[in-house]
């Protein structure tokens, strides 16, 4: 089998997505997600101008050699644009393999290790009462694990909380919007939020929280310690992770489990975190972490240090990534949990898929390959729209981490 053609589709059915389609001389094609939120066109150009010309004529079954060719062969290694482009190719090739062998991708990764994949939902509200109502709503939908975020008294807006009555979507149309931030106000508020959630819902629900990279390590240590009575499933991205040793400080102060890595793109972003057992869950996922080929090796390495997977699954990860993640989660031994932020109806219509949600769990389905498609005619009705993630400023105007 040979790769004969590859094309990049950029569409905005509800939000922007970049999708790679690789075609073969046997009529089988595969899809890969190349979406990098707010930097979509950079990946599209990397694929069209630099990657696609190098893969035409190659054997799509050679996932390992093609991965090494695009990684080592580029000389310039790593980085989110490069690794997202490599991931798009890699995932599309695994899709082709599954279709050619007439089997779901999970069977190529070791087969089913579990029947279904536990997912966590997002509950949020402008204040604690509204957040509690949203937790109740998600519990009624069947979720067994729920991430809880709420507005912070004294701040006009914050990460993870919907503006008005719509659903929460991090990217906003136009140029970057500016939000305000205060770690002092946040640290004062969050323990009260979880005290109220546990008082209302008891111990049965798994509770998660995303700090979204905003705290210094010692502040995160304090928060983790104050959250201990509420038994969180995890505290996510407590501090920016460029300095991996920062997590040693956090670990020294709390037993609240720690998840990190949705912005990672290589095992080298996490190898100190993993081998020192400073984290419990790794969030680096297929689309930004070099695809199935690199994540499988990373997950196997993490397993040796009791670190489990907790893949990123926000709306900017397209249904192609969601499908691929569910195959991976079904097969990999050290699976922990999968994030589930449902896509809009427009997105789901453009990407028909066989995965399903039922009673707090998701299932990849048994279609050959990934079980997801791209309706190119429908996608053409939703042209790309410029959108960015917000930026954050402290109350005195200093730019800080969003
Ligand atoms: O593109 C950025 C979003 O995916 C991110 O802000 C969402 O932190 C996030 C999460 O945990 O889903
Ligand atoms: Mg996050």
């Amino acid at each position: 089998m040979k790769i004969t053609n590859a094309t990049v589709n950029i569409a905005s059915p509800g939000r922007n997505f970049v999708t790679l389609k690789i075609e073969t001389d046997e009529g089988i094609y595969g899809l890969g997600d190349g979406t990098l939120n707010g930097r979509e066109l950079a990946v599209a150009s990397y694929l069209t101008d630099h990657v696609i010309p190098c893969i035409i004529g190659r054997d799509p079954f050679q996932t390992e050699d093609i991965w090494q060719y695009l990684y080592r062969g580029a000389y310039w290694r790593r980085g989110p644009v490069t690794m997202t482009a490599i991931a798009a190719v890699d995932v599309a090739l695994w899709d082709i393999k599954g279709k050619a062998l007439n089997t779901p991708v999970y069977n190529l990764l070791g087969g089913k290790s579990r029947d279904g994949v536990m997912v966590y939902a997002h509950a949020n509200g402008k204040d604690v009462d509204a957040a509690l109502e949203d937790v109740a709503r998600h519990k009624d939908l069947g979720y067994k694990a729920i991430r809880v975020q709420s507005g912070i008294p004294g701040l006009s807006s914050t990460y993870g909380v919907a503006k008005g009555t719509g659903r929460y979507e991090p990217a906003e149309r136009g140029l970057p919007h500016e939000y305000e931030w205060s770690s002092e106000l946040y640290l004062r508020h969050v323990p009260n939020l979880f005290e109220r959630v546990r008082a209302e819902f008891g111990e049965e629900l798994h509770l998660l929280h995303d700090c979204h990279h905003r705290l210094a390590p010692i502040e995160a240590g304090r928060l983790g310690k104050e959250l201990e009575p509420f038994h969180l499933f995890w505290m996510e991205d407590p501090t920016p992770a460029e300095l991996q040793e920062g997590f040693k400080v956090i670990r020294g102060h709390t037993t609240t489990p720690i998840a990190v890595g949705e912005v990672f793109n290589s095992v080298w972003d996490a190898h100190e975190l993993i081998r020192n057992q400073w984290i419990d869950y790794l969030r680096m996922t297929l689309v930004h972490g070099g695809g199935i080929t690199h994540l499988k090796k990373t997950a196997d390495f993490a397993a040796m240090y009791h670190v489990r997977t907790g893949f990123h699954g926000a709306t900017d990860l397209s249904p192609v990534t969601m499908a691929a993640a569910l195959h991976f989660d079904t097969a990999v031994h050290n699976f922990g949990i999968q994030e589930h932020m449902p896509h809009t109806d427009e997105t789901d219509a453009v990407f028909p898929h066989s995965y399903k949600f039922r009673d707090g769990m998701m299932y990849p389905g048994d279609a050959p390959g990934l079980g997801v498609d791209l309706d190119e005619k429908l996608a053409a009705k939703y042209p790309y729209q410029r959108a960015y993630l917000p930026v954050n400023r402290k109350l005195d105007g200093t730019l800080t981490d969003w």
Side-chain angles (χ1 to χ4, degrees):
M1 196 187 279
K2 293 257 174 287
I3 297 172
T4 49
N5 192 28
T7 46
V8 176
N9 181 288
I10 309 172
S12 194
R15 66 164 341 287
N16 292 320
F17 293 110
V18 174
T19 311
L20 175 69
K21 178 175 181 179
I22 299 183
E23 295 166 76
T24 65
D25 56 355
E26 295 189 15
I28 294 173
Y29 63 87
L31 297 178
D33 180 16
T35 310
L36 183 62
N37 208 358
R39 297 291 186 272
E40 294 86 357
L41 303 182
V43 181
S45 160
Y46 194 97
L47 282 167
T48 306
D49 299 324
H50 304 292
V51 170
I52 290 174
C54 302
I55 61 171
I56 304 296
R58 290 179 190 273
D59 175 354
F61 268 66
Q62 290 182 317
T63 41
E64 183 64 31
D65 186 66
I66 292 176
W67 194 94
Q68 299 296 345
Y69 186 90
L70 296 176
Y71 180 82
R72 281 173 213 281
Y75 186 63
W76 309 107
R77 295 185 187 188
R78 303 164 60 189
V81 174
T82 303
M83 297 306 281
T84 302
I86 294 177
V89 173
D90 186 71
V91 170
L93 298 183
W94 282 94
D95 190 22
I96 290 172
K97 266 195 220 200
K99 287 175 177 169
L101 298 171
N102 196 28
T103 193
V105 166
Y106 64 73
N107 274 337
L108 306 178
L109 302 176
K112 279 189 183 181
S113 288
R114 54 196 56 80
D115 296 329
V117 167
M118 182 166 75
V119 294
Y120 72 89
H122 286 202
N124 68 82
K126 65 178 186 346
D127 54 25
V128 175
D129 287 335
L132 292 182
E133 273 174 38
D134 211 28
V135 173
R137 189 172 70 79
H138 283 95
K139 191 168 175 259
D140 289 347
L141 290 170
Y143 286 99
K144 297 168 185 13
I146 303 181
R147 180 186 106 157
V148 192
Q149 311 287 136
S150 94
I152 299 162
L155 295 183
S156 55
S157 55
T158 190
Y159 166 76
V161 180
K163 284 186 183 155
T165 51
R167 58 162 86 193
Y168 175 68
E169 168 58 52
E172 291 164 308
R173 296 261 153 97
L175 293 173
H177 292 220
E178 297 209 354
Y179 285 29
E180 53 182 11
W181 180 249
S182 159
S183 294
E184 291 77 13
L185 295 178
Y186 170 78
L187 286 169
R188 211 181 287 165
H189 173 70
V190 176
N192 298 335
L193 169 67
F194 281 92
E195 188 174 10
R196 292 275 309 277
V197 180
R198 276 291 180 229
E200 180 103 7
F201 297 95
E203 282 287 330
E204 190 194 330
L205 274 180
H206 296 301
L207 298 178
L208 300 85
H209 181 70
D210 192 349
C211 306
H212 219 267
H213 328 265
R214 285 158 193 216
L215 301 173
I218 196 66
E219 293 170 333
R222 167 184 149 191
L223 180 63
K225 197 166 168 180
E226 291 182 7
L227 290 174
E228 279 170 22
F230 315 118
H231 303 139
L232 263 59
F233 187 94
W234 78 34
M235 174 169 83
E236 174 181 338
D237 286 338
T239 195
E242 288 97 329
L243 179 69
Q244 297 188 33
E245 290 91 332
F247 286 75
K248 185 179 180 184
V249 176
I250 305 174
R251 203 55 147 183
H253 290 279
T254 181
T255 56
T256 294
I258 295 167
V260 73
E262 65 186 42
V263 298
F264 293 175
N265 47 70
S266 149
V267 67
W268 298 109
D269 292 326
H271 78 292
E272 292 295 335
L273 296 173
I274 294 170
R275 80 179 182 85
N276 288 299
Q277 302 179 57
W278 290 332
I279 61 168
D280 303 282
Y281 297 92
L282 185 66
R283 291 195 31 82
M284 180 171 89
T285 191
L286 307 169
V287 58
H288 304 132
I292 291 172
T293 297
H294 190 56
L295 249 306
K296 182 71 171 75
K297 294 175 189 181
T298 305
D300 289 343
F301 168 61
M304 291 194 277
Y305 297 91
H306 306 283
V307 174
R308 288 185 276 167
T309 64
F311 279 177
H312 187 199
T315 38
D316 46 300
L317 287 77
S318 93
V320 176
T321 289
M322 193 63 193
L326 292 171
H327 284 274
F328 194 97
D329 297 338
T330 297
V332 73
H333 178 254
N334 55 327
F335 165 75
I337 199 166
Q338 167 70 49
E339 182 176 15
H340 179 222
M341 196 178 168
H343 289 109
T344 62
D345 293 343
E346 290 102 310
T347 302
D348 283 337
V350 165
F351 295 95
H353 51 259
S354 61
Y355 61 77
K356 293 211 163 30
F357 171 85
R358 195 174 64 249
D359 201 21
M361 311 288 276
M362 285 183 82
Y363 303 85
D366 294 322
L370 297 174
V372 61
D373 211 344
L374 170 69
D375 183 336
E376 290 176 72
K377 235 167 134 183
L378 188 57
K381 295 193 176 149
Y382 301 101
Y384 168 78
Q385 311 250 0
R386 184 154 73 175
Y388 282 88
L389 289 169
V391 298
N392 245 353
R393 288 189 187 277
K394 293 184 187 174
L395 297 181
D396 71 355
T398 309
L399 195 91
T400 186
D401 302 290
W402 176 74

